[in-house]
Amino acid sequence: MESRTPRALVRLKRKLTIENLWLYIMKILIDEKTPLRAYDIKVKLRERFNINPPAVTVYTVVYRMSMDGLVSRIHSSGETRYKPTDTGIEAFQHAITYLEELVSKLKL
């Protein structure tokens, strides 16, 4: 008999990755300690987390993060690079704490 991944698990994975891509982007930017282009972020998402969203999705999320003050834009040599702001790092830390508390409550 063939094992099939339940749709509920597929939805959960999507919601915890693509629909919350900002968490992964923020982790990359914090760890890299150097401003990155959106394209570089896309590559690192694939390499580090095995997430391969469309480029337009990454650009859209990074743009929204910029508008929300989570990252700042740096323009240099005709390129735009992004780095985390203090507000972004704080939001990331709060999100991780929330997820840890949630997982703790859900464990059997």
Side-chain angles (χ1 to χ4, degrees):
M1 182 190 275
E2 187 177 317
S3 176
R4 196 176 125 209
T5 305
R7 287 181 293 176
L9 185 55
V10 171
R11 283 192 306 274
L12 175 67
K13 287 181 179 182
R14 177 166 178 79
K15 297 221 180 266
L16 290 177
T17 55
I18 300 302
E19 292 189 28
N20 284 287
L21 204 55
W22 78 274
L23 288 168
Y24 301 87
I25 292 170
M26 190 61 69
K27 177 66 173 158
I28 288 167
L29 291 173
I30 290 168
D31 287 352
E32 289 298 316
K33 296 181 179 28
T34 184
L36 296 175
R37 299 175 303 159
Y39 177 79
D40 298 325
I41 294 168
K42 179 181 172 14
V43 169
K44 291 189 181 296
L45 285 167
R46 186 179 63 248
E47 291 173 354
R48 290 186 56 189
F49 299 108
N50 200 29
I51 301 171
N52 195 20
V56 68
T57 301
V58 175
Y59 284 89
T60 300
V61 172
V62 170
Y63 175 79
R64 287 182 183 156
M65 290 172 72
S66 175
M67 294 295 103
D68 288 344
L70 301 177
V71 297
S72 60
R73 289 185 267 188
I74 299 167
H75 301 283
S76 170
S77 304
E79 294 183 327
T80 302
R81 295 178 184 267
Y82 300 89
K83 70 176 188 173
T85 62
D86 290 341
T87 299
I89 293 169
E90 185 177 328
F92 176 79
Q93 291 170 330
H94 284 256
I96 296 304
T97 299
Y98 172 77
L99 289 171
E100 289 170 341
E101 290 170 356
L102 181 60
V103 166
S104 176
K105 291 176 185 176
L106 290 172
K107 281 186 178 178
L108 297 178

